Amino acid sequence: MTDPTAESERGAVLVSAPRPIDSGLKGVCPRCGAPTLFAGPIRFADRCRACGLDFSTFNVGDGPAAFLTLILGTIVVILAITVELTLHPPLWLHMLIWIPVTLVGVVASLRLAKGWLIALEYRNAAREGRIEPR
């Protein structure tokens, strides 16, 4: 990676692209690194306010949601069963614990996964498959 403060031979300042994981963790633009990727907790902004990159052209789909639902669902169920078998709390306490844990886990992990995938899509210039007519 280049040093963000390094200058090229022509005197222009070179800026390195942020790591893909930073796009998920910090919500930074995959091109310029400004924190403009998300407009809400898990909703992408239309475009970067700093460099103008159009985020609406990227499509991360529902893959992250499906995988994260299965993974987090498994973890929450295992933890809930463990708590039930060891402590025997009432049902209302289970709901008080596991509903917020699930919601926070899904939103946090969706933000991370969606930001990471959009950064990888940008970095690899991945686009939806197209068949060129002959």
Side-chain angles (χ1 to χ4, degrees), residues 95-120:
M95 293 189 324
L96 189 65
I97 294 170
W98 303 117
I99 291 174
V101 165
T102 303
L103 288 174
V104 168
V106 166
V107 170
S109 60
L110 261 179
R111 183 178 172 96
L112 174 70
K114 288 174 80 171
W116 182 47
L117 286 175
I118 201 170
L120 289 175

Side-chain angles (χ1 to χ4, degrees), residues 2 9 18 20-21 27-29 34 40-41 47-48 71 74-76 82 86 88-89 92 94 100 115-117 119-120:
T2 59
E9 295 174 5
I21 195 71
V28 299
C29 172
R47 62 181 51 250
C48 178
I71 293 167
T74 302
I75 292 169
V76 168
T82 303
T86 57
H88 307 292
W92 64 267
H94 272 295
W116 182 47
L117 286 175
L120 289 175

